[in-house]
């Protein structure tokens, strides 16, 4: 399948970009969900439909679970593999996951685990797919086929070569001729999806760009790069900022060009470096004095003040070092006849070293005073420079020579070509390594995990390929050291080869290293696979599905742990097992008897956070220092020869002095300090140095956890060891004697402020002598009574080490939002926040007050601490919580959105803690008017009920008597009707006598009087009782 992307700009022709995609699907027993397949298939179909008129679509083939989509020959090829989770690892190579989407493919397995410690009501998902992409380019990959030339942007010729490439974490920039393109992609893990781009985007369309300059480190949540202009905007820099996938450029300087600022008629910028800590640009400027004479200057530009200043003027010619390794540039030195031609600059923010390179190498610690490194030959010219930022520096010349420099020293080593490299090549050829051929070209150099690699283009059997190849720097230096330091001594008839070891020590070890997590700030979890209950013990599809679900749930707990209310136990996994820990022995009993459902046993102890990681006898990759924090370790050295100097060397017989020396170099001695204590171990012929690095509490204000950190470093160096000391390990030789520790000053990552609800409830109950929760209890958000004093407490939780302690610093508390219900919470404006919280408010709008007298400098807000006298709720007339209408028969409630911040009021830490949480208050009083209204309404209703009751009591006997009379009359009517009906029916058979008739009438009269008297007697008894 073929893809074409076109972009048309002003005055340019259509550009095209082609590649070929082949999708291979591994056959599996279960089919993949249609949504995932259709997503990939739909995207590729849409791309294929972009082909222009007259092009022929590639044919598709399918066989054995494989789908191939062919395109034009000679283009790039991209392979996409979609595998299910049960096939991961079967290829024999490492598996990596890209753009994963959690799928509900493991739920059916978890439903079988009826007697496992997991909660069946929770959601367990898995990662059934991974996307593996291999890209290969078999032809020249053109981005643009036009040449935009004009009178302001002269271009001598056109080339399809990509001259500059800069890759950041989220964006790729390229320069082809004078045109700049970038590719952001749609990586949702780096930025919002709608900010990305799935195609090349051209920027600075009206500018003529001659060079792209990288900025190695991002800051303030953004990444940066620089584009240097030529033509009409010569002397300007386009400073690029990448934030959340959005790319923007700003032309600098703002007021005038660099040439105008330094009063140079004919000048150009040839390189730029960004100093993030000072928000400054360092520009390498070339000034044409005459046709045969040029001079170069280092110019500083302040991005805040828009000021330009000349920092250093480079000499016109290369100095004459006269056999020295380095030379301090004092403008009193002699010079050679070779002109000094700079090509670029490199700045290391960790040690503040600035390098200027070309057919020379200069280094400076303050941008104004430079040191000339004389080991680099002036006949060569450096093309580019690669910095490991861990104390090693490599640069490549125009003739593809590779030179090596260890920072802290001035000795430069040529690695390639060299005798040691030839020996290494010969050994690799003997081993028939596929990474070395006779026809090869180096593309670039780069550092990866402190190792130096080459990106090589190899041609073998008329086929080319790109490979990553390790350069064994330590082995090459070790061979050079051995090759250059040996003696041939005549012993009798034979000559003996003797090697001289110039390393001042035989053993170097690191002792007393603290646990690393407090300083490296790396969070670690233990997540072991579940135990398979079977004869073989091998994992199957179900057990792997269970493992995926458990890992997913562990990651979910980790991501959701950052909540304002602190748990009783400071551990993300606590909620997972809190209701199952008491049954741990029961689950183990089932597993021991192979009775666990699903054939797997989940051990709760196998899924936990690791807080007690031990040191590995090496310095960490980097350390973080909070305000006043210290980091200590010991260096143990065993001397070569005698450890002590002789009496004649030190001039005293009463003084012990070691032959071994340890030096420490600080990049910012005004910000950090170091103390070194020496202890001589005579019986072991060794010396123990105790090194303590500490922050001086001077160079940082406050910052968010893990953000806006100051970069610095410490170099620990054994005197005389640079390039001479190696340690043999199972991975090969390793340099010894130089220890570089990058240091980041500020608020370390993984620290947060949390509301200590457990201790707050306990302390409030103790102070107020009672505690009344809401009618509808919410265990996640307990209520507090309005009329009680409120004593809040907070915790400082370390997510890395597991430490959780009471916050002892000062803070400012503000109500920034609220509402009577969770659905009606609204944010308050800055003016409202001031009125509702400031003790200076005179508009009757305060929500709360305190008896504390400490306030901020402007007296706008109260300063609280853990020793505060508590908060009294007011809800004055013009506050939002005043006169809250109740929604039931219970007292009104209100949810306050509270902001707690220590910024500007707490001097104990560099951390700018900020916590926003909801506080539920119940029992709010009504306003006087509404209370009076409720009183009147309630009293009226009550009085009405009382009157109605009295009336009912008075009228009740009369109503009963009337009811009885009515009933008596109804009974008489019914009886009379019954009698006459009976009499009429029996009158045809007999004629009753007169006597009997009178008797019957008398009997009826007596019975009626008796029935009438009984209800009256009954009513009288009820009234008496």
């Amino acid at each position: 399948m073929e893809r074409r992307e076109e972009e048309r700009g002003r005055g340019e022709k259509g550009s095209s970009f082609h590649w070929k995609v082949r999708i291979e699907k591994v056959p599996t027993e279960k089919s993949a969900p249609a949504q995932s397949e259709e997503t990939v298939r739909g995207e590729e179909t849409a791309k294929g439909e972009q082909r222009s008129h007259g092009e022929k679509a590639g044919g598709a083939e399918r066989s054995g679970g494989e789908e191939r989509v062919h395109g034009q020959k000679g283009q790039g090829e991209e392979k996409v593999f979609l595998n299910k989770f049960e096939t991961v690892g079967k290829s024999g190579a490492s598996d990596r996951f890209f753009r994963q989407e959690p799928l509900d493919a493991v739920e059916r397995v978890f439903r079988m685990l009826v007697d496992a410690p997991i909660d069946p009501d929770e959601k367990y998902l898995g990662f059934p797919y991974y996307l593996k992409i291999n890209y290969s380019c078999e032809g020249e990959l053109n981005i643009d086929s036009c040449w935009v030339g004009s009178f302001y942007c002269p271009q001598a010729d056109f080339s399809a070569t990509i001259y500059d490439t800069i890759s950041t974490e989220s964006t790729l920039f390229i320069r082809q001729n004078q045109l700049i393109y970038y590719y952001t992609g749609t990586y949702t893990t780096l930025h919002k999806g709608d900010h990305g781009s799935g195609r090349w985007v051209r920027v600075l369309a009206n500018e003529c760009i001659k060079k792209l300059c990288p900025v190695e480190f991002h800051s303030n949540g953004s990444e940066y790069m620089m584009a240097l202009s030529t033509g009409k905007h010569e002397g300007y820099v386009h400073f690029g900022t990448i934030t959340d996938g959005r790319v923007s450029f700003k032309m600098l300087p703002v007021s005038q060009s660099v040439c105008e600022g330094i009063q140079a008629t004919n000048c150009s910028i040839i390189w730029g470096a960004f100093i993030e800590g000072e928000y400054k640009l360092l520009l390498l400027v070339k000034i044409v004095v005459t046709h045969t004479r040029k001079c170069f200057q280092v110019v500083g530009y302040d991005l805040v003040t828009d000021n330009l200043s000349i920092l250093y003027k480079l000499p016109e010619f290369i100095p004459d070092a006269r056999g020295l390794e380095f030379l301090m540039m004092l403008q009193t030195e002699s010079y050679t006849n070779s002109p000094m031609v700079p090509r670029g600059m490199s700045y290391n923010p960790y040690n503040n070293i600035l390098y200027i390179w070309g057919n020379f190498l200069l280094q400076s610690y303050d941008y104004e005073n430079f040191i000339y490194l004389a080991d680099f030959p002036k006949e060569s010219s450096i093309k580019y420079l690669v910095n490991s930022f861990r104390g090693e520096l490599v640069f490549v010349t125009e003739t593809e020579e590779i030179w090596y420099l260890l920072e802290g020293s001035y000795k430069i080593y040529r690695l390639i070509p060299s005798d040691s490299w030839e020996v290494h090549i010969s050994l690799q050829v003997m081993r028939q390594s596929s990474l070395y051929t006779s026809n090869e070209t180096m593309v670039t150099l780069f550092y990866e995990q402190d190792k130096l690699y080459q990106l090589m283009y190899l041609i073998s059997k008329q086929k080319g390929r790109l490979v990553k190849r390790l350069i064994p720097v330590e082995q090459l230096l070790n061979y050079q050291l051995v090759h250059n330091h040996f003696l041939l001594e005549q012993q009798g008839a034979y000559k003996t080869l003797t090697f001289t070891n110039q390393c001042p020590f035989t053993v170097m070890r690191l002792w007393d290293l603290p646990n690393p997590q407090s300083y490296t700030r790396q969070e670690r979890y233990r997540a072991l696979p579940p135990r398979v209950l079977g004869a073989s013990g091998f994992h199957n599809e179900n057990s792997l599905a269970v493992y995926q679900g458990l890992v997913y749930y562990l990651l979910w707990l980790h991501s959701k742990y950052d909540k304002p209310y602190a748990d009783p136990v400071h551990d993300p996994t606590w909620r997972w097992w809190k209701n199952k820990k008491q049954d741990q022995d029961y689950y183990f009993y089932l597993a021991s008897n192979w009775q666990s459902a699903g054939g797997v046993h989940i051990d709760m102890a196998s899924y936990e956070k690791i807080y007690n990681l031990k040191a590995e006898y090496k310095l960490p990759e980097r350390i973080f220092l909070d305000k006043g924090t210290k980091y200590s370790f010991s260096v143990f050295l065993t001397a070569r020869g005698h450890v002590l100097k002789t009496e004649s060397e030190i001039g005293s017989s009463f003084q012990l002095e070691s032959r071994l020396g340890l030096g420490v170099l600080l990049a910012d001695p005004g910000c950090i300090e170091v103390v070194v204590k020496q202890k001589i171990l005579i019986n072991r012929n060794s010396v123990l140095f105790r090194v303590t690095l500490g922050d001086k509490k001077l160079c940082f204000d406050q910052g968010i956890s893990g953000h806006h950190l100051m970069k610095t470093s410490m170099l620990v160096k054994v005197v005389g060891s640079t390039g001479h000391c190696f340690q043999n390990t199972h991975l090969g030789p390793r340099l010894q004697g130089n220890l570089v520790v990058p240091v980041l000053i500020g608020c370390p990552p993984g620290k947060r402020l949390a509301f200590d609800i457990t201790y707050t409830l306990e302390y409030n109950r103790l102070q107020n002598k009672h505690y009344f929760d809401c009618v509808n209890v919410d265990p996640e958000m307990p209520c507090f009574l309005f009329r009680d004093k409120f004593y809040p407490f907070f915790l400082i939780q370390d997510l890395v080490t597991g430490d959780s302690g009471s916050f002892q610093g000062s803070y400012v508390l503000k109500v920034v939002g609220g509402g009577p219900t969770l659905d009606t919470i609204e944010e308050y404006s800055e003016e409202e926040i001031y009125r509702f919280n400031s003790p200076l408010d005179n508009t009757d709008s305060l929500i709360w007050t305190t008896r504390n007298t400490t306030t901020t400098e402007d007296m706008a807000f109260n300063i609280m601490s853990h020793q505060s006298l508590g908060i009294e709720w007011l809800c004055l007339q013009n506050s939002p919580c005043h006169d809250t209408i109740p929604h039931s028969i219970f007292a009104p409630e209100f949810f306050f959105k509270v902001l707690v911040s220590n910024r500007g009021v707490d001097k104990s830490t560099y951390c700018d803690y900020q916590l926003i949480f909801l506080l539920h208050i119940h029992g709010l009083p009504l306003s006087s008017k509404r209370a009076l209204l409720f009183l009147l309404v309630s009293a009226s209703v009550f009085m009405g009920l009382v009157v109605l009751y009295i009336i009912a009591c008075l009228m009740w006997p009369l109503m009963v008597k009337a009811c009885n009379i009515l009933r008596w009359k109804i009974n008489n009517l019914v009886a009379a009707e019954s009698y006459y009906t009976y009499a009429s029916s029996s009158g045809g058979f007999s004629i009753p006598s007169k006597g009997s008739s009178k008797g019957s009438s008398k009997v009826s009269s007596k019975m009626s009087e008796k029935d009438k008297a009984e209800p009256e007697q009954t009513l009288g008894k009820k009234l008496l009782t």
Side-chain angles (χ1 to χ4, degrees):
M1 179 179 57
E2 188 176 283
R3 169 172 174 168
R4 164 170 291 187
E5 295 191 2
E6 298 186 354
E7 181 183 283
R8 300 187 181 273
R10 183 178 303 173
E12 65 179 280
K13 300 180 181 179
S15 61
S16 61
F17 181 44
H18 307 271
W19 67 57
K20 181 177 67 178
V21 178
R22 184 176 68 187
I23 300 180
E24 297 184 358
K25 298 201 293 187
V26 177
T28 58
E29 295 180 359
K30 298 181 180 180
S31 60
Q35 180 180 359
S36 300
E37 291 188 4
E38 291 299 330
T39 300
V40 177
R41 190 180 299 115
E43 290 178 357
E44 302 303 334
T45 304
K47 296 173 183 177
E49 292 175 352
Q50 295 178 5
R51 58 183 180 271
S52 60
H53 179 71
E55 295 178 341
K56 185 177 181 180
E61 299 177 2
R62 263 190 169 181
S63 63
E66 177 176 327
E67 179 180 351
R68 300 176 183 269
V69 186
H70 302 284
Q72 289 186 351
K73 188 176 181 180
Q75 304 300 326
E77 180 175 301
E78 189 170 315
K79 301 177 181 178
V80 183
F81 299 88
L82 287 175
N83 285 18
K84 298 203 64 179
F85 67 89
E86 59 263 25
T87 64
V88 174
K90 291 186 177 180
S91 60
S94 60
D95 299 314
R96 300 186 65 181
F97 294 85
F98 298 91
R99 190 66 181 272
Q100 304 174 92
E101 295 293 339
L103 296 179
D104 194 8
V106 300
E107 183 182 3
R108 59 174 180 80
V109 182
F110 275 83
R111 284 199 296 263
M112 298 186 302
L113 307 180
V114 294
D115 55 3
I118 61 173
D119 189 351
D121 296 331
E122 295 292 342
K123 193 71 172 178
Y124 292 89
L125 302 178
F127 307 104
Y129 291 95
Y130 75 98
L131 181 62
K132 181 180 179 182
I133 300 178
N134 295 330
Y135 182 79
S136 60
C137 181
E138 300 177 359
E140 180 182 89
L141 189 60
N142 293 337
I143 304 301
D144 205 305
S145 58
C146 65
W147 168 33
V148 182
S150 64
F151 68 94
Y152 68 84
C153 187
Q155 188 83 8
D157 54 1
F158 167 78
S159 174
T161 303
I162 297 176
Y163 292 97
D164 296 327
T165 303
I166 294 178
S167 177
T168 66
E169 289 185 359
S170 62
T171 309
L172 174 64
F173 292 88
I174 62 171
R175 179 178 73 89
Q176 185 187 34
N177 300 316
Q178 78 278 19
L179 308 177
I180 306 300
Y181 296 87
Y182 73 86
Y183 182 88
T184 303
T186 55
Y187 312 112
T188 55
T189 57
L190 298 179
H191 51 72
K192 294 182 179 179
D194 57 347
H195 293 176
S197 172
R199 62 178 63 203
W200 292 98
V201 179
R202 183 180 172 186
V203 289
L204 302 175
N206 297 325
E207 299 294 332
C208 186
I209 306 300
K210 63 180 179 181
K211 187 179 291 296
L212 300 182
C213 298
V215 177
E216 284 81 5
F217 297 94
H218 58 80
S219 61
N220 301 323
S222 299
E223 300 168 309
Y224 305 101
M225 57 87 61
M226 290 176 285
L228 306 183
S229 286
T230 187
K232 66 175 182 178
H233 286 150
E234 187 75 68
Y236 286 92
V237 176
H238 295 277
F239 191 73
T241 303
I242 307 100
T243 305
D244 293 332
R246 299 183 183 274
V247 180
S248 61
F249 283 87
K250 182 179 181 181
M251 191 169 70
L252 301 173
V254 178
S255 58
Q256 58 183 349
S257 70
V258 175
C259 299
E260 294 172 346
I262 63 176
Q263 299 179 354
T265 305
N266 188 0
C267 80
S268 63
I269 303 174
I270 62 176
W271 200 268
F274 176 53
I275 313 299
E276 58 172 314
E278 304 175 18
Y279 214 57
K280 177 189 293 185
L281 293 182
L282 297 182
L283 305 175
L284 184 59
V285 181
K286 179 178 71 173
I287 302 175
V288 179
V289 181
T290 63
H291 292 290
T292 58
R293 182 186 175 195
K294 301 179 182 66
C295 64
F296 299 88
Q297 296 178 354
V298 178
V299 179
Y301 172 69
D302 195 312
L303 277 78
V304 178
T305 61
D306 193 40
N307 290 332
L308 288 165
S309 60
I310 299 176
L311 301 178
Y312 183 70
K313 294 182 179 180
L314 276 72
E316 294 187 31
F317 298 96
I318 295 178
D320 185 5
R322 298 181 179 180
L324 300 176
E325 287 186 350
F326 67 95
L327 186 65
M328 190 71 186
M329 305 293 289
L330 301 175
Q331 297 183 351
T332 59
E333 57 275 357
S334 58
Y335 296 91
T336 64
N337 296 327
S338 301
M340 183 175 281
V341 184
R343 299 283 300 276
M345 296 187 302
S346 177
Y347 174 74
N348 187 345
Y350 284 102
N351 55 19
N352 301 325
I353 297 182
L354 174 68
Y355 291 97
I356 303 179
W357 42 267
N359 58 345
F360 62 94
L361 187 63
L362 296 178
Q363 77 172 23
S364 171
Y365 289 91
D366 58 1
Y367 327 135
E368 297 180 3
N369 300 288
F370 284 82
I371 299 175
Y372 170 64
L373 304 183
D375 281 351
F376 183 75
K378 59 182 179 298
E379 294 79 16
S380 300
S381 180
I382 299 174
K383 183 168 57 174
Y384 61 91
L385 182 147
V386 180
N387 200 327
S388 70
F389 301 102
R390 293 296 306 273
E392 296 176 285
L393 197 70
V394 174
F395 38 91
V396 181
T397 67
E398 293 288 350
T399 58
E400 302 297 327
E401 295 179 349
I402 300 178
W403 294 74
Y404 175 82
L405 171 66
L406 198 62
E407 291 182 341
S409 67
Y410 307 103
K411 178 68 175 177
I412 303 177
Y413 303 89
R414 187 172 68 175
L415 300 180
I416 302 174
S418 63
D419 293 339
S420 57
W421 179 252
E422 294 298 328
V423 173
H424 175 73
I425 291 292
S426 301
L427 293 175
Q428 298 304 317
V429 172
M430 292 174 59
R431 296 172 181 172
Q432 298 181 353
S433 173
S434 61
L435 300 179
Y436 298 85
T437 63
S438 58
N439 191 358
E440 60 182 31
T441 303
M442 185 177 69
V443 179
T444 187
L445 284 177
F446 61 94
Y447 274 95
E448 184 177 285
Q449 297 181 352
D450 298 334
K451 296 293 183 180
L452 181 62
Y453 290 91
Q454 289 176 301
L455 182 61
M456 301 296 298
Y457 182 72
L458 308 181
I459 300 178
S460 178
K461 299 179 180 179
Q462 298 182 351
K463 289 185 177 181
R465 59 192 178 101
L466 286 172
V467 299
K468 182 179 74 172
R469 192 168 72 187
L470 175 68
I471 298 181
V473 176
E474 293 83 0
Q475 292 184 5
L476 300 180
L477 294 178
N478 195 12
Y479 180 85
Q480 290 185 18
L481 181 66
V482 173
H483 185 266
N484 296 331
H485 298 87
F486 66 91
L487 295 175
L488 285 176
E489 297 180 352
Q490 188 73 33
Q491 293 186 357
Y494 302 97
K495 291 184 177 181
T496 303
L497 183 63
T498 304
F499 295 95
T500 303
N501 196 329
Q502 296 185 339
C503 183
F505 57 84
T506 59
V507 176
M508 178 179 179
R509 296 192 182 98
L510 297 180
W511 286 0
D512 303 325
L513 289 168
N515 290 346
Q517 288 179 284
S518 300
Y519 301 95
T520 61
R521 312 306 300 169
Q522 292 180 347
E523 300 184 54
R524 295 173 180 266
Y525 286 88
R526 177 180 291 109
L528 302 179
R531 177 186 169 190
V532 179
L533 304 180
S536 65
F538 293 129
H539 283 276
N540 51 34
E541 180 180 343
N542 289 342
S543 63
L544 292 178
V546 171
Y547 187 39
Q548 285 197 11
L550 294 174
V551 171
Y552 175 86
Y553 193 76
L554 182 66
L555 296 176
W556 182 84
L557 289 173
H558 170 76
S559 64
K560 297 298 181 182
Y561 187 65
D562 190 10
K563 57 182 183 177
Y565 280 62
D567 284 337
V569 178
H570 178 41
D571 194 313
T573 62
W574 171 76
R575 286 182 173 269
W576 198 358
W577 313 117
K578 65 174 182 176
N579 297 327
K580 302 290 184 178
K581 277 290 186 180
Q582 65 272 16
D583 301 326
Q584 187 172 6
D585 294 338
Y586 169 71
Y587 298 126
F588 180 75
Y589 170 78
L590 292 178
S592 301
N593 292 275
W594 289 14
Q595 298 297 321
S596 298
V600 294
H601 169 58
I602 300 174
D603 186 6
M604 289 178 276
S606 299
Y607 298 87
E608 61 181 357
K609 196 166 186 178
I610 301 176
Y611 296 114
N612 56 351
L613 190 69
K614 302 301 181 182
E616 298 179 349
Y617 296 100
K618 66 178 182 180
L619 292 177
E621 184 179 356
R622 65 181 66 86
I623 62 174
F624 293 81
L625 294 181
D626 197 357
K627 196 169 190 176
T629 306
K630 297 183 182 297
Y631 180 81
S632 300
F633 62 96
S634 299
V635 180
F636 176 81
L637 298 173
T638 299
R640 186 177 301 278
H642 295 288
V643 67
L644 297 177
K645 291 184 178 179
T646 61
E647 179 180 344
S648 60
E649 290 178 309
I650 59 178
S652 174
S653 59
F654 302 100
Q655 182 179 356
L656 295 178
E657 188 170 343
S658 171
R659 294 178 181 273
L660 296 175
L662 189 73
V664 179
L665 178 64
L666 301 178
D668 296 281
C671 302
I672 55 178
E673 60 184 357
V674 67
V675 176
V676 181
K677 296 181 179 181
Q678 174 184 279
K679 182 179 181 180
I680 300 178
L681 308 176
I682 301 178
N683 58 335
R684 304 183 64 174
N685 196 36
S686 303
V687 181
L688 185 67
F689 295 95
R690 183 65 176 176
V691 181
T692 303
L693 174 69
D695 172 66
K696 298 177 72 172
K697 308 180 182 180
L698 298 176
C699 296
F700 198 83
D701 186 14
Q702 279 182 302
I704 302 175
S705 176
H707 291 75
H708 314 295
L709 301 172
M710 175 185 174
K711 297 181 178 66
T712 184
S713 66
M714 173 183 67
L715 171 63
V716 180
K717 178 180 178 181
V718 180
V719 178
S721 64
T722 303
H724 297 147
C725 300
F726 297 88
Q727 180 187 19
N728 293 322
T729 67
H730 66 285
L731 298 177
R734 184 171 64 91
L735 279 170
Q736 278 192 314
N738 273 45
L739 302 174
V740 178
V741 184
V743 181
L744 297 169
I745 300 177
C747 183
K751 283 193 172 184
R752 73 180 191 114
L753 184 67
F755 182 34
D756 189 359
I757 186 62
T758 304
Y759 187 70
T760 298
L761 288 174
E762 179 182 346
Y763 190 83
N764 278 264
R765 182 183 289 107
L766 179 65
Q767 294 295 321
N768 296 319
K769 311 301 182 183
H770 61 262
Y771 171 72
F772 298 106
D773 205 342
C774 289
V775 177
N776 300 319
V777 178
D778 183 2
E780 296 292 333
M781 189 187 300
C783 296
F784 296 90
L785 191 61
F786 178 87
R787 69 171 181 263
D788 291 344
K789 274 192 176 182
F790 177 59
Y791 301 90
F793 291 91
F794 302 93
L795 292 173
I796 297 298
Q797 292 187 332
D798 194 325
L799 304 180
V800 179
T801 63
D803 296 334
S804 181
S806 177
F807 176 52
Q808 304 292 321
S810 302
Y811 62 90
V812 173
L813 185 145
K814 304 176 186 177
V815 177
V816 297
T821 63
L822 290 174
D823 299 330
T824 58
I825 294 177
E826 60 179 14
E827 303 286 340
Y828 300 149
S829 63
E830 292 294 332
E831 187 269 337
E832 291 175 327
I833 292 175
Y834 178 84
R835 290 194 295 109
F836 299 158
N837 299 274
S838 176
L840 300 179
D841 176 70
N842 55 6
T843 62
D844 289 338
S845 302
L846 279 179
I847 294 178
W848 62 277
T849 187
T850 181
R851 295 184 181 179
N852 291 350
T853 59
T854 307
T855 61
T856 56
E857 294 182 359
D858 56 359
M859 302 182 67
F861 299 101
N862 292 298
I863 297 180
M864 311 286 290
S865 70
H866 68 289
Q867 298 177 344
S868 296
L869 300 177
I871 290 175
E872 297 179 15
W873 301 108
L874 297 178
C875 290
L876 297 183
Q877 182 176 0
N878 296 322
S879 65
C881 56
H882 178 74
D883 195 18
T884 302
I885 301 176
H887 296 281
S888 63
I889 62 173
F890 303 106
E893 300 177 351
F894 206 87
F895 292 88
F896 291 112
K897 193 172 186 179
V898 181
L899 168 66
V900 175
S901 174
N902 71 331
R903 183 165 185 82
V905 298
D906 185 16
K907 306 300 181 183
S908 63
T909 178
Y910 287 141
C911 292
D912 179 7
Y913 294 122
Q914 180 172 304
L915 173 66
I916 297 179
F917 65 98
L918 294 179
L919 191 62
H920 193 182
I921 303 297
H922 70 115
L924 274 71
L926 300 174
S927 65
S928 57
K929 293 182 179 180
R930 192 174 299 276
L932 179 60
L933 177 62
F934 269 83
L935 177 62
L936 293 177
V937 173
S938 301
S940 301
V941 173
F942 177 75
M943 291 302 297
L945 293 175
V946 172
V947 172
L948 182 62
Y949 177 76
I950 294 174
I951 293 174
C953 290
L954 294 176
M955 296 298 293
W956 178 254
L958 299 177
M959 293 174 62
V960 171
K961 184 176 181 180
C963 291
N964 289 333
I965 293 173
L966 179 62
R967 189 181 66 174
W968 177 75
K969 290 183 178 182
I970 293 173
N971 290 337
N972 284 342
L973 291 176
V974 173
E977 182 69 23
S978 300
Y979 171 75
Y980 288 118
T981 303
Y982 173 77
S984 61
S985 61
S986 61
F989 299 95
S990 64
I991 298 175
S993 65
K994 185 176 180 181
S996 62
S997 175
K998 289 182 179 180
S1000 299
S1001 299
K1002 291 179 179 180
V1003 174
S1004 299
S1005 299
K1006 291 180 179 179
M1007 293 297 296
S1008 299
E1009 290 177 358
K1010 183 179 180 181
D1011 293 340
K1012 181 179 179 181
E1014 287 179 357
E1016 292 179 355
Q1017 294 176 359
T1018 304
L1019 179 60
K1021 291 180 179 180
K1022 290 184 176 180
L1023 291 176
L1024 290 175
T1025 58

